[in-house]
Amino acid sequence: MAVQFMYGVLVPVTTPKPKLPPEADNGVWSLYVGDLDPQVTEADLIDKFRLIGPIASVRLCCDSFAGDSLCYAYVNFFTSLDSSTALCFLNHKELKGKPIRIMWSQRYPLTRKTGIANLFVKNLHPSITSAQLQSMFSKFGKILSCKVAAENGKTKGFGFVQYDSEQSSMTARNALHGTLVEGKKIYVSKFAKKSARTVAHGDAMMASLEGSNQTEAAQKYWESEFCMEF
């Protein structure tokens, strides 16, 4: 198996493979598409995703009173292959100049909401994008969601990577914590909600994050970005 250095980390060279979808809902496979530019319309989404295959439906979520876009949508395909391919090849690609974030729509999003198998990554170089972060961490397991926090097009220096299993997240943390990425030593820790973040958990790295302004900003960002009902 060939290997290469990517962002200062030795990783295997692999060809992207479509991720397996969850069970179909009413005969369609649904994707959540977030981080949309406010000007993105359902027609824009159709134009973007129909290149993958026939689309069953598209729903752009809007405010029920003002009618403004909530900047996320659902794209439904007729086949698991098309939905998997769209997730694999369109995730983090730009639409109206802004990278979109795609993941499987979860009918029962308990794992995402509780932060299980979720990693907090800080001290990121300003050039690191969500796509690059996902590329770095995808070698260690199936990723449910990956994002570098940003505001007004400028990164905040931290991000989140959530796996489908605790084992994958711990393997990634042990492998990447303290490695140099674009000249900066990244900090990778198990992420926990503030209410659950105690020294008693036995996580020395988590304890060392207490009082960190960046950690508090990360907590607020995670709550606003990942705890909504998709």
Side-chain angles (χ1 to χ4, degrees):
M1 179 175 60
V3 296
Q4 67 177 7
F5 280 95
M6 180 178 293
Y7 314 116
V9 180
L10 190 65
V11 297
V13 178
T14 58
T15 301
K17 296 180 180 179
K19 296 178 175 62
L20 295 177
E23 184 178 352
D25 186 9
N26 296 324
V28 298
W29 281 261
S30 183
L31 296 174
Y32 165 86
V33 185
D35 296 355
L36 297 174
D37 183 274
Q39 301 304 314
V40 167
T41 65
E42 290 187 350
D44 294 325
L45 291 166
I46 291 172
D47 287 341
K48 186 78 169 181
F49 283 84
R50 68 180 177 183
L51 299 176
I52 301 297
I55 297 173
S57 63
V58 171
R59 179 167 68 91
L60 178 66
C61 297
C62 298
D63 183 272
S64 57
F65 295 101
D68 297 330
S69 170
L70 295 176
C71 299
Y72 67 92
Y74 296 97
V75 177
N76 303 309
F77 285 94
F78 290 107
T79 71
S80 61
L81 177 60
D82 286 341
S83 59
S84 297
T85 302
L87 175 58
C88 183
F89 291 102
L90 295 182
N91 195 17
H92 305 304
K93 295 297 189 293
E94 289 191 356
L95 181 57
K96 286 191 179 295
K98 186 177 180 182
I100 61 177
R101 177 166 56 96
I102 307 174
M103 61 186 188
W104 292 113
S105 174
Q106 301 173 48
R107 294 180 63 187
Y108 308 103
L110 179 62
T111 298
R112 170 175 51 76
K113 283 191 169 187
T114 56
I116 296 173
N118 193 14
L119 295 176
F120 171 55
V121 187
K122 75 170 186 174
N123 202 34
L124 292 172
H125 189 276
S127 66
I128 299 299
T129 64
S130 295
Q132 290 171 325
L133 189 68
Q134 178 146 349
S135 179
M136 289 165 54
F137 282 80
S138 63
K139 317 301 176 183
F140 303 97
K142 181 181 177 181
I143 293 176
L144 297 180
S145 183
C146 177
K147 183 174 182 179
V148 173
E151 186 175 6
N152 299 322
K154 184 178 180 180
T155 67
K156 292 176 173 287
F158 63 83
F160 303 93
V161 181
Q162 187 165 22
Y163 288 93
D164 67 340
S165 74
E166 194 71 23
Q167 181 179 354
S168 294
S169 69
M170 291 302 96
T171 300
R173 185 187 73 172
N174 293 337
L176 295 178
H177 173 66
T179 57
L180 287 175
V181 180
E182 296 294 335
K184 299 192 69 172
K185 184 179 290 188
I186 64 172
Y187 196 106
V188 184
S189 172
K190 179 178 178 180
F191 181 75
K193 292 188 295 183
K194 187 174 182 179
S195 59
R197 206 185 305 150
T198 65
V199 179
H201 285 177
D203 190 336
M205 284 194 294
M206 202 67 244
S208 70
L209 286 174
E210 282 294 350
S212 166
N213 290 335
Q214 194 173 60
T215 303
E216 296 306 314
Q219 173 68 37
K220 294 177 181 179
Y221 192 89
W222 180 79
E223 290 175 349
S224 65
E225 291 290 316
F226 296 93
C227 292
M228 67 178 70
E229 286 288 349
F230 289 163

